[in-house]
Amino acid sequence: MEGQAIKFGKNMVPLADTLAPGHSFCIGCGEALALKLACKALGENVIISMATGCAEICTSPLPVTSWRVPWIHTLFENNSAVISGVEAGSKILMAKGKKPQKDIKYVAMGGDGATSDIGLQALSGALERGHDFLYLCWDNEAYMNTGIQRSSATPYGASTTTAPAGKVSIGQKTRKKNMVEIAAAHDIPYAATASIGYPFDLMNKVKKGAETKGPAYVHVFVPCPTGWRHASDMAVELGRLAVETGVFPLYEVEHGRYRMNVSPSTLKPVEEYLKPQGRFRHLPEEEIRKIQEMVNEEYERLKAKAAAFPLA
Ligand SMILES: Cc1ncc(C[n+]2csc(CCOP(=O)(O)OP(=O)(O)O)c2C)c(N)n1
Ligand code: SF4
């Protein structure tokens, strides 16, 4: 099945299905959809290391597993160190003429907590050493697996169990850490954002990242009905609205040069994205206005960088 695909409109969908049906993700989970799409794009010749989190727990409840490819469960802290070792070790074996001989892709995956907080040091080390691997971050904007605790990727104003909205607080008071810029600051050959609202763009970026020689990083936006308190049929729509409002722009960075992939002539009001989500429902008008200003400012900054340092 490796390499085979079927036509869907003007796009091709890989037949590879290395994540078997049968898992325990919540109904309507955006992370489950992103994982399925990424696995299709990655194909069969892949070794995956995965930090603890929803994607790990929901695909490997012992004694069963959904994985049809070599897959390693790692700690948060050592995910990128583990894939570095797998890549370096198997390349030495191949140089000595031993199996595996195929063109294997090395992929590490983790949630936003695993990536932007606890696993950041090992990830930075692996990017800096220049290992030939792809890192995929599933960004549902909190530590969801253990009960919706805030992470450094939780956006301003969101209510979580450890930064709850109430009489004395509006919820998260800090701004979302920009992981793509941190990855790109290592001057790696490929860094990008993707969203489940744009599934073909997502698959293309995962494929491109996996085929890049050297380190690649793709940050994937995955709405979470349980943690964001949105309807279970809204994950894909919110994945689109985040892009259309400028909350989560789609772009690529190659050695410091930028390309915006979707740039609407006018952005939709941020309120359209915030309103369907229970985690933002407490926000008064002035806070929504403040979020709109933050989004406008960050979007303009990104556009300026893309204009000043464009990708050919
Ligand atoms: C060092 C460490 N701290 C805490 C935990 C407990 N823990 C397991 S899964 C998890 C949440 C993972 O969150 P994230 O990485 O954002 O992925 P998600 O579940 O949201 O997909 C936590 C805190 C742990 N396993 N290791
Ligand atoms: S908590 Fe959120 S990310 Fe985790 S399985 Fe449920 S919907 Fe998916």
Side-chain angles (χ1 to χ4, degrees), residues 3-282:
Q4 291 179 37
I6 51 163
K7 211 163 176 3
F8 186 83
K10 55 182 170 42
N11 296 291
M12 299 303 286
V13 181
L15 284 179
D17 206 8
T18 53
L19 185 70
H23 56 69
S24 55
F25 288 96
C26 308
I27 294 167
C29 171
E31 190 160 309
L33 178 57
L35 188 58
K36 190 82 178 167
L37 294 169
C39 286
K40 282 189 159 295
L42 290 170
E44 291 161 10
N45 292 334
V46 65
I47 299 175
I48 297 172
S49 70
M50 184 182 271
T52 302
C54 283
E56 172 267 320
I57 293 281
C58 298
T59 61
S60 66
L62 278 172
V64 293
T65 175
S66 311
W67 291 99
R68 290 169 168 157
V69 287
W71 177 90
I72 307 163
H73 173 207
T74 70
L75 302 175
F76 280 126
E77 298 88 335
N78 65 353
N79 192 11
S80 300
V82 167
I83 205 69
S84 300
V86 172
E87 182 253 1
S90 52
K91 285 199 169 158
I92 287 172
L93 286 178
M94 282 186 260
K96 288 185 176 167
K98 294 189 181 152
K99 286 187 177 178
Q101 297 286 4
K102 291 181 201 154
D103 185 16
I104 293 179
K105 299 176 187 94
Y106 304 94
V107 182
M109 305 177 180
D112 51 282
T115 307
S116 54
D117 295 336
I118 311 176
L120 183 56
Q121 182 174 336
L123 170 59
S124 174
L127 297 178
E128 184 270 325
R129 289 190 302 272
H131 287 279
D132 186 14
F133 79 116
L134 166 66
Y135 192 98
L136 291 173
C137 173
W138 312 124
D139 186 5
N140 54 23
E141 302 193 317
Y143 290 86
M144 293 305 179
N145 177 233
T146 35
I148 324 172
Q149 293 89 11
R150 56 90 61 195
S151 78
S152 60
T154 305
Y156 176 86
S159 185
T160 59
T161 52
T162 48
K167 283 192 186 131
V168 293
S169 176
I170 58 142
Q172 180 87 338
K173 290 185 188 144
T174 52
R175 285 169 82 149
K176 185 179 174 73
K177 188 186 278 187
N178 193 332
M179 257 317 294
V180 185
E181 291 296 322
I182 292 172
H186 292 75
D187 195 28
I188 55 175
Y190 191 65
T193 58
S195 165
I196 58 159
Y198 295 78
F200 294 106
D201 179 77
L202 189 160
M203 282 192 283
N204 289 339
K205 284 171 175 170
V206 169
K207 190 167 184 294
K208 188 168 170 181
E211 286 171 358
T212 296
K213 290 291 161 231
Y217 179 89
V218 180
H219 196 93
V220 188
F221 189 76
V222 292
C224 161
T226 305
W228 297 12
R229 288 180 277 132
H230 66 72
S232 58
D233 60 355
M234 273 209 80
V236 173
E237 199 175 330
L238 284 170
R240 285 194 85 84
L241 275 171
V243 176
E244 290 166 350
T245 53
V247 166
F248 190 86
L250 294 184
Y251 65 101
E252 294 167 293
V253 195
E254 296 182 17
H255 284 298
R257 295 208 161 262
Y258 288 72
R259 180 188 296 124
M260 310 265 300
N261 306 114
V262 178
S263 18
S265 46
T266 39
L267 296 175
K268 288 186 176 171
V270 80
E271 200 166 358
E272 283 188 39
Y273 166 75
L274 300 177
K275 276 277 142 98
Q277 302 180 52
R279 64 178 176 154
F280 294 120
R281 211 157 285 153
H282 58 283

